Amino acid sequence: MCRSGLGRYDIMLEPRELKKEDGIIIEFKVQDTEEEPELVDTVRAALRQIEEKRYESILTEKGIPGNKIRKYGFAFRGKTVLIGR
């Protein structure tokens, strides 16, 4: 398992052509209804985790510009899924 920034990401896709293609970071979260009453709150928590733990640092260290790094939060509640970026 890879480590970056201050923790572990769930999925990271590194582009073959580092400066031409986008890198992608994906964080999955299962909704905790006590902390996140709406599924959108869970998406926001996933995106916040990507930022707070600086998961993008491994890509930027490889020379991928910040504007070429896409970040997605996937929130799950049973079979319901919400994706945000």
Side-chain angles (χ1 to χ4, degrees):
M1 188 170 297
C2 295
R3 295 183 62 82
S4 69
L6 302 173
R8 296 182 201 164
Y9 49 82
D10 289 324
I11 296 176
M12 181 177 291
L13 302 173
E14 294 184 29
R16 290 183 185 190
E17 295 186 41
L18 295 179
K19 295 186 181 180
K20 293 183 180 179
E21 300 173 342
D22 292 346
I24 299 173
I25 302 168
I26 299 172
E27 184 65 30
F28 299 110
K29 288 231 171 267
V30 175
Q31 183 183 25
D32 175 354
T33 55
E34 291 180 19
E35 298 282 326
E36 304 141 354
E38 301 294 328
L39 207 51
V40 69
D41 299 319
T42 308
V43 168
R44 288 183 187 127
L47 294 170
R48 187 172 46 252
Q49 180 175 329
I50 291 170
E51 294 301 321
E52 288 174 356
K53 296 196 175 198
R54 299 179 22 235
Y55 293 158
E56 76 281 353
S57 66
I58 194 167
L59 295 175
T60 56
E61 288 172 8
K62 291 183 177 194
I64 300 169
N67 66 339
K68 299 294 280 179
I69 299 173
R70 296 179 185 217
K71 303 167 187 174
Y72 296 95
F74 282 60
F76 297 89
R77 179 181 59 232
K79 293 185 178 185
T80 304
V81 180
L82 182 64
I83 303 168
R85 59 183 185 116

